[in-house]
Amino acid sequence: MAEKTKYFVLKQKAVPEVLLKVVEAKRLLDSGKVSSVQDAADLVGISRSSFYKYKDDIFPFHDNSKGRTITVMVQLDDEPGLLSEVLRIVADFHANILTIHQSIPVNGVASLTLSVEVLSNTGDISQMVQTIENQAGIHYLKILARE
């Protein structure tokens, strides 16, 4: 079985400079200040390959204030009750489910895209993600977006 992803919270001074530059390049792209990855990478002083290597692995930390949205993609076995278990975990952490999209299973594995709103009483989101990831039948979990 593949090793599950672990999440860490670090102070900015402990994060390597290249990762901070990737975050800045993503911010430039999201804000529309630059129109291409090459422009963003040039502006912050990293290579495009560094951007692509780390872009899915680092996000700025936002506090759990009401109205924040997190979108995750999960690959899970096509087993009765597994989706229900994932949704129960989200409910246990007091997050509000905004959208659910599950694909038709292929070779016994389905893809699930789930958007949840983080409320003022929502628990630790990284713990919620880890709890989902540790469920039997979950192959892969990736955070697609945080707003």
Side-chain angles (χ1 to χ4, degrees), residues 7 9 61 64 92-94 118 121-131:
Y7 297 91
V9 175
F61 178 78
N64 287 351
D92 287 350
F93 279 83
H94 305 287
V118 177
N121 64 336
T122 300
D124 181 354
I125 293 299
S126 62
Q127 184 64 43
M128 180 184 79
V129 168
Q130 187 172 10
T131 302

Side-chain angles (χ1 to χ4, degrees), residues 66-70 94-98 115-119 122:
K66 183 175 171 66
R68 301 277 184 198
T69 302
I70 183 169
H94 305 287
N96 183 36
I97 296 171
L98 299 173
S115 292
V116 298
E117 180 182 26
V118 177
L119 304 171
T122 300

Side-chain angles (χ1 to χ4, degrees), residues 62-127:
H62 297 292
D63 61 354
N64 287 351
S65 60
K66 183 175 171 66
R68 301 277 184 198
T69 302
I70 183 169
T71 303
V72 297
M73 193 276 285
V74 183
Q75 288 183 338
L76 62 155
D77 286 336
D78 181 26
E79 295 177 0
L82 188 52
L83 174 59
S84 177
E85 183 62 23
V86 170
L87 299 179
R88 184 197 58 77
I89 292 167
V90 173
D92 287 350
F93 279 83
H94 305 287
N96 183 36
I97 296 171
L98 299 173
T99 63
I100 302 170
H101 179 268
Q102 183 175 353
S103 69
I104 296 173
V106 176
N107 296 326
V109 177
S111 291
L112 170 70
T113 304
L114 185 66
S115 292
V116 298
E117 180 182 26
V118 177
L119 304 171
S120 58
N121 64 336
T122 300
D124 181 354
I125 293 299
S126 62
Q127 184 64 43

